[in-house]
Amino acid sequence: VQLQASGGGLVQPGGSLRLSCAASGFTSGYLAIGWFRQAPGKEREGVSCISRINGITYYADSVKGRFTISSDSAENTVYLQMNSLAPEDTAVYYCTVSQSSGSSYGLCRDLEYDVRGQGTQVTVSS
């Protein structure tokens, strides 16, 4: 199984980025997919997740109104559109899936993931 994340980079405050995560090799499927991030010296934070069962989404309070998660089931890809980026969004962003639960809250809030991708660096700086 593999989660291939891309789309990170350096952006100025107020700018936008779109992260992509392509899932492959999941012969038994997965039930929820999303992103968490980790900045140096900080704990992991579930950013946004979506359930493949009911489409319910989760957003961390810190990104509500700025980030939007979407998925393309046919392509097994999830996207994270990040707008109005701020320096505090700087972190390595990891794509994760749960194969055991379809709860987007469980995946993001409780970080109950089964598989994690390699991460993509997002740096917000002027």
Side-chain angles (χ1 to χ4, degrees):
V1 297
Q2 186 176 15
L3 297 172
Q4 185 65 45
S6 61
L10 173 63
V11 64
Q12 292 186 341
S16 298
L17 284 174
R18 189 174 84 151
L19 304 184
S20 300
C21 174
S24 60
F26 290 87
T27 56
S28 60
Y30 54 91
L31 302 179
I33 188 168
W35 302 86
F36 76 86
R37 66 187 179 185
Q38 187 161 27
K42 294 188 178 181
E43 293 189 357
R44 297 175 302 171
E45 177 187 29
V47 176
S48 184
C49 298
I50 185 167
S51 170
R52 294 190 87 191
I53 304 300
N54 52 31
I56 290 177
T57 57
Y58 171 96
Y59 293 97
D61 288 342
S62 57
V63 306
K64 282 180 182 177
R66 301 187 298 122
F67 291 11
T68 303
I69 192 169
S70 60
S71 64
D72 183 335
S73 295
E75 297 294 328
N76 282 324
T77 301
V78 66
Y79 304 97
L80 185 67
Q81 179 66 43
M82 305 186 295
N83 298 329
S84 301
L85 284 162
E88 51 265 34
D89 295 314
T90 296
V92 178
Y93 284 69
Y94 296 92
C95 180
T96 62
V97 302
S98 172
Q99 296 178 284
S100 53
S101 171
S103 171
S104 57
Y105 278 68
L107 180 58
C108 252
R109 185 187 59 196
D110 302 325
L111 296 177
E112 295 174 340
Y113 60 86
D114 297 307
V115 181
R116 189 201 79 180
Q118 86 286 3
T120 185
Q121 176 71 47
V122 172
T123 302
V124 185
S125 175
S126 55

